[in-house]
Amino acid sequence: MSVYDELIGQSHIIKTLTAAVDAADSGEESQEMTHAWIFTGPPGSGRSSAAIAFAQALVCKSKGCGTCNECITAKSSTHPDVEVLRSEGLSIKIDEIRELLTRTAWAPSMGGWRVVVMEDADRLTESAANALLKAIEEPGLRTVWLLCAPTLHDILPTIRSRCRHIQLHTPSNNDVAKFLVDKHQIAPKMADFA
């Protein structure tokens, strides 16, 4: 089992994220791991799921086993070192970002990383985006930012330029059908129909 099991048809992404977790775990400086990432893709591509799986892998002692306490609590948004910001309204305002920045300034309490997943980074107001930019420009020592948006152009250019981009695509019908058969034991004909 792995935290990446539910990322259907995204093997290119899994390879990149696994290499980043390996680099982060080794402690050696490399091009694989960075402090800020942008996950983009159309609706249904799994950009938020990919970001949360990456967060799980970063806080897991086994690099994303999917079954340990760290993986389970990171996925359910109850891990003390993983912050998931889901937008309730039409926009993310500067007050929300300032409050978030206060919490992310703390050192990780359990593992090696404090991870922030922002599911709707495209909803940042201009002032909120500028406040976030300052945090990304001057990152905390052990803080990783994972921003999710439909397209790269939904994020301010100044933020984009400081992040590593991960592009997800809509999984194929065959990949989805295979997942339904393998994971949920749905009959192959029904999986193809679905």
Side-chain angles (χ1 to χ4, degrees):
M1 186 169 180
S2 164
V3 294
Y4 303 115
D5 287 349
E6 294 183 10
L7 296 183
I8 306 165
Q10 308 293 344
S11 57
H12 64 295
I13 299 302
I14 295 168
K15 186 184 292 185
T16 299
L17 298 179
T18 302
V21 171
D22 288 342
D25 189 54
S26 74
E28 294 177 25
E29 286 195 32
S30 76
Q31 296 292 331
E32 301 297 326
M33 183 61 189
T34 186
H35 72 285
W37 300 72
I38 298 175
F39 291 78
T40 63
S45 62
R47 61 183 177 256
S48 295
S49 297
I52 290 171
F54 187 37
Q56 289 174 275
L58 285 170
V59 298
C60 175
K61 290 176 179 58
S62 301
K63 303 179 191 177
C65 67
T67 58
C68 69
N69 185 55
E70 284 80 8
C71 285
I72 292 168
T73 57
K75 185 173 184 174
S76 67
S77 302
T78 57
H79 193 286
D81 293 333
V82 178
E83 180 95 27
V84 180
L85 181 64
R86 293 180 174 99
S87 178
E88 298 294 321
L90 297 176
S91 63
I92 301 172
K93 297 182 177 23
I94 191 166
D95 293 340
E96 292 175 80
I97 296 301
R98 285 184 180 146
E99 184 181 315
L100 177 67
L101 294 176
T102 300
R103 289 191 305 272
T104 59
W106 307 330
S109 61
M110 290 177 64
W113 297 98
R114 178 167 292 282
V115 186
V116 180
V117 178
M118 189 175 297
E119 288 193 347
D120 301 303
D122 54 309
R123 295 185 185 180
L124 287 163
T125 63
E126 187 175 343
S127 57
N130 286 327
L132 178 62
L133 173 63
K134 183 157 177 56
I136 290 175
E137 284 179 328
E138 301 168 11
L141 186 60
R142 305 295 288 173
T143 301
V144 178
W145 294 90
L146 309 178
L147 311 178
C148 303
T151 71
L152 200 53
H153 298 290
D154 292 323
I155 305 290
L156 276 180
T158 49
I159 292 177
R160 285 195 309 248
S161 68
R162 289 158 177 83
C163 298
R164 184 165 179 190
H165 181 219
I166 297 290
Q167 173 69 48
L168 287 86
H169 55 265
T170 303
S172 71
N173 290 344
N174 289 339
D175 286 339
V176 173
K178 182 178 177 349
F179 174 78
L180 291 173
V181 169
D182 294 347
K183 183 82 172 174
H184 299 289
Q185 291 74 46
I186 296 188
K189 273 189 168 180
M190 181 56 80
D192 286 336
F193 176 74

